Amino acid sequence: MLIIAPILVGIAYVCLNSFIREPHRRRFNAVMVAGAGAAYLSSGGFGAWELAFTVVLTYVAYRGLDSWTFIGIGWLLHTAWDALHHWKGTPILPFAEHSSLGCAICDPVIAVWCLMGGPSVRELVTARFRAAKPMQAQSE
């Protein structure tokens, strides 16, 4: 469950985002990745590096206002930061020992979706069926 639950959280995040229309979906996600960048500020696990990381992710999030690629990069950067916090033993939620590990598993799910352009679930399903039809025609 330590691995499956964070993956399901990432999938739920993607599904819920399908209810937000573009370009608001992209802007919302830029704000979310900026917030994720500040999540560790109170932990102080890496001292002044926490502030430096927040500055970097704030810049990436700002660029993400116009670019899904930057949002995806932001989630991957946050994944690395989560992993470092997990290895150091300074979780994002001090009362939940594996919270940083869970975040490090969840974030790449969101990052992959962002790097795909943040499509709605309906767009994903439609694209999948379009891709499957030519293959079916070739096999006949």
Side-chain angles (χ1 to χ4, degrees):
M1 210 53 189
L2 188 63
I3 295 171
I4 294 176
I7 292 171
L8 293 176
V9 168
I11 292 169
Y13 180 88
V14 168
C15 291
L16 288 172
N17 267 273
S18 292
F19 293 106
I20 303 172
R21 293 181 186 212
E22 281 291 4
H24 305 293
R25 184 183 317 137
R26 186 184 63 246
R27 293 180 186 141
F28 172 79
N29 278 278
V31 171
M32 291 298 288
V33 82
Y40 286 106
L41 274 178
S42 64
S43 79
F46 289 113
W49 288 108
E50 300 289 0
L51 184 58
F53 179 73
T54 302
V55 168
V56 168
L57 216 51
T58 299
Y59 172 76
V60 170
Y62 174 73
R63 294 292 308 269
L65 289 169
D66 296 314
S67 168
W68 278 107
T69 301
F70 272 95
I71 298 170
I73 290 168
W75 283 115
L76 292 175
L77 288 170
H78 196 261
T79 298
W81 206 245
D82 289 326
L84 290 172
H85 273 273
H86 175 70
W87 289 323
K88 186 172 184 195
T90 53
I92 193 168
L93 301 173
F95 55 86
E97 179 184 358
H98 298 293
S99 57
S100 290
L101 177 62
C103 205
I105 295 168
C106 174
D107 291 353
V109 174
I110 299 169
V112 167
W113 171 71
C114 291
L115 293 170
M116 293 171 57
S120 69
V121 171
R122 186 177 71 181
E123 292 167 336
L124 284 170
V125 170
T126 302
R128 175 71 178 122
F129 281 119
R130 278 191 207 134
K133 284 185 180 181
M135 288 181 181
Q136 290 173 351
Q138 290 174 358
S139 64
E140 293 176 355

